[in-house]
Amino acid sequence: MVLFFFKTYIKIYNLSMPELPEVESIRRYIEKNILNRRILDIKLINKKSLRNSSEIELNNVVGQSFTNINRIAKHLILHTQDYYFIMHLRMEGKFIFFDTLQDAMNKTKSLHHILIIQTENKVLLFVDTRKFATIDFFKKDVSYSANPVLMKIGKEPFDLTGKELYVWLTSKRTNIKTALLDQSFISGLGNIYVDEVLFKSKIDPRRITNSITIEESNNIIKFSISILRKSIEMKGSSIRTYSPNDSETGGYQKYLNVYGRQGEECLICGNIIKKIKVAGRGTHICENCQK
DNA sequence: AGAATCTCTCGGCCGC
DNA sequence: TGCGGCCGAGAGATTC
């Protein structure tokens, strides 16, 4: 019974790739648990995940407290008085909170630990089964605009106009799917939401960017915003913050039109949804609706 | 020079 | 049951 439950959980969990709505949900979850709490200890477990800093520098945050928890696109930013962490969950990174360190260690033996932060009320575990997650650590005298990680991130769909997108797209000759996954211009969309946005916009993901019209660019922005907003409201797709004490489940997967629905009927026209490859990425499409 | 494409990371999962 | 191939975000390397 326990094994069955575990296997079921893993299956759902693997669908989850934190994109903007999932990261926003996690941001709120972290805020709820550690905002204004003092850091008592910090321990880096996976040394390779730390970039732009040394392990020794990390210890400087001990005694400081979390003053702000921000999000930029898919990046989480944890501020203290004098430092900030930029964390990226990649595909399977997650945060789990426990009341005690002993409890945390006992209940997460099978997980790969990235970082452990003890605060005065909670123990924060940053874990990632695939060890892809990254941590960048900076002193506050490195501003956002000069930050080597953040300066590479483009605008979120909320801050872009269809015209701006159109100008960029017409200057390129790649396919629209690859373009929308390029975080350096439009950030926050990942594989799930790009497929959903292109379905709503009735655009074939294989289309070359300079064939996209201004009307289609407007639709891409419009639907990116509405889909991301709705997903944030539903706390993202599938499970993205697992905790034995406080598990939270996203509800947006109920609204997915094409992602993960290969072999099923299109909800608009009844055509069978296909899963194809576009630039090496699994891509879901209704070839009748998307031209 | 600038843009596009390839390669690599990792461990669970899937199909043979 | 064992094993090779696949998956995927994003950085860095390489090619065009």
Side-chain angles (χ1 to χ4, degrees), chain A residues 142-289:
Chain A
V142 181
S143 70
Y144 272 22
S145 56
N147 187 291
V149 178
L150 300 179
M151 68 193 301
K152 291 174 194 159
I153 305 172
K155 288 183 183 175
E156 295 180 0
F158 310 109
D159 303 321
L160 273 172
T161 64
K163 180 75 193 298
E164 286 173 303
L165 178 65
Y166 175 72
V167 169
W168 182 66
L169 290 177
T170 48
S171 76
K172 294 173 69 71
R173 284 176 182 277
T174 185
N175 59 71
I176 184 65
K177 165 120 185 184
T178 304
L180 295 181
L181 286 171
D182 181 351
Q183 304 295 308
S184 70
F185 181 80
I186 180 168
S187 66
L189 298 174
N191 211 31
I192 298 172
Y193 295 109
V194 166
D195 282 6
E196 293 297 314
V197 167
L198 289 174
F199 173 79
K200 290 286 270 183
S201 308
K202 301 185 189 298
I203 297 169
D204 188 312
R206 294 164 289 199
R207 288 261 302 279
I208 301 302
T209 48
N210 64 2
S211 77
I212 303 293
T213 66
I214 179 71
E215 290 79 15
E216 288 173 325
S217 298
N218 286 334
N219 280 336
I220 290 171
I221 294 298
K222 182 177 82 179
F223 289 121
S224 294
I225 291 172
S226 63
I227 288 170
L228 291 176
R229 284 222 175 107
K230 180 71 182 171
S231 185
I232 289 170
E233 187 192 316
M234 302 306 293
K235 296 184 174 180
S237 299
S238 79
I239 294 170
R240 75 267 162 268
T241 48
Y242 167 72
S243 154
N245 314 314
D246 180 19
S247 80
E248 292 190 28
T249 311
Y252 192 75
Q253 63 273 23
K254 285 181 287 197
Y255 296 87
L256 296 175
N257 282 296
V258 286
Y259 188 87
R261 296 194 65 244
Q262 62 272 21
E264 295 176 34
E265 288 179 5
C266 171
L267 300 169
I268 303 298
C269 73
N271 193 39
I272 300 298
I273 305 292
K274 275 193 188 170
K275 185 172 182 181
I276 60 171
K277 285 233 179 200
V278 178
R281 299 291 187 235
T283 300
H284 307 76
I285 176 176
C286 171
E287 288 185 319
N288 187 44
C289 289

Side-chain angles (χ1 to χ4, degrees), chain A residues 7-45:
Chain A
K7 276 194 99 79
T8 307
Y9 157 65
I10 289 294
K11 222 172 172 60
I12 301 164
Y13 166 96
N14 276 341
L15 285 174
S16 137
M17 287 175 289
E19 303 180 26
L20 190 152
E22 289 75 19
V23 178
E24 176 58 26
S25 301
I26 294 164
R27 188 196 70 76
R28 294 174 186 184
Y29 177 60
I30 294 171
E31 196 171 60
K32 195 172 74 184
N33 279 282
I34 57 166
L35 189 63
N36 297 323
R37 297 296 177 168
R38 205 157 55 89
I39 297 166
L40 304 181
D41 195 21
I42 183 164
K43 192 164 188 189
L44 180 70
I45 310 298

Side-chain angles (χ1 to χ4, degrees), chain A residues 16-160:
Chain A
S16 137
M17 287 175 289
E19 303 180 26
L20 190 152
E22 289 75 19
V23 178
E24 176 58 26
S25 301
I26 294 164
R27 188 196 70 76
R28 294 174 186 184
Y29 177 60
I30 294 171
E31 196 171 60
K32 195 172 74 184
N33 279 282
I34 57 166
L35 189 63
N36 297 323
R37 297 296 177 168
R38 205 157 55 89
I39 297 166
L40 304 181
D41 195 21
I42 183 164
K43 192 164 188 189
L44 180 70
I45 310 298
N46 187 317
K47 318 278 183 204
K48 283 174 115 179
S49 62
L50 182 66
R51 312 177 302 183
N52 288 302
S53 174
S54 73
E55 193 179 351
I56 293 161
E57 288 175 88
L58 274 186
N59 292 314
N60 293 334
V61 295
V62 173
Q64 305 224 325
S65 50
F66 288 106
T67 54
N68 222 338
I69 314 296
N70 293 341
R71 178 191 57 72
I72 293 181
K74 305 178 193 175
H75 298 256
L76 281 164
I77 305 168
L78 280 59
H79 286 267
T80 69
Q81 282 83 359
D82 299 327
Y83 298 89
Y84 58 105
F85 298 86
I86 303 173
M87 293 165 168
H88 197 296
L89 306 169
R90 299 297 175 120
M91 283 172 289
E92 301 197 5
K94 36 182 61 62
F95 289 89
I96 318 177
F97 292 94
F98 293 91
D99 290 331
T100 68
L101 184 62
Q102 192 180 20
D103 200 23
M105 293 299 103
N106 286 342
K107 289 181 178 166
T108 62
K109 280 177 185 160
S110 62
L111 300 175
H112 287 105
H113 297 169
I114 303 289
L115 183 73
I116 301 171
I117 299 177
Q118 288 185 69
T119 74
E120 53 192 340
N121 75 320
K122 294 277 182 183
V123 177
L124 177 161
L125 256 64
F126 186 22
V127 300
D128 182 0
T129 51
R130 292 195 184 174
K131 299 181 184 171
F132 273 21
T134 56
I135 302 165
D136 294 278
F137 183 68
F138 295 95
K139 200 158 188 206
K140 284 234 171 122
D141 51 24
V142 181
S143 70
Y144 272 22
S145 56
N147 187 291
V149 178
L150 300 179
M151 68 193 301
K152 291 174 194 159
I153 305 172
K155 288 183 183 175
E156 295 180 0
F158 310 109
D159 303 321
L160 273 172

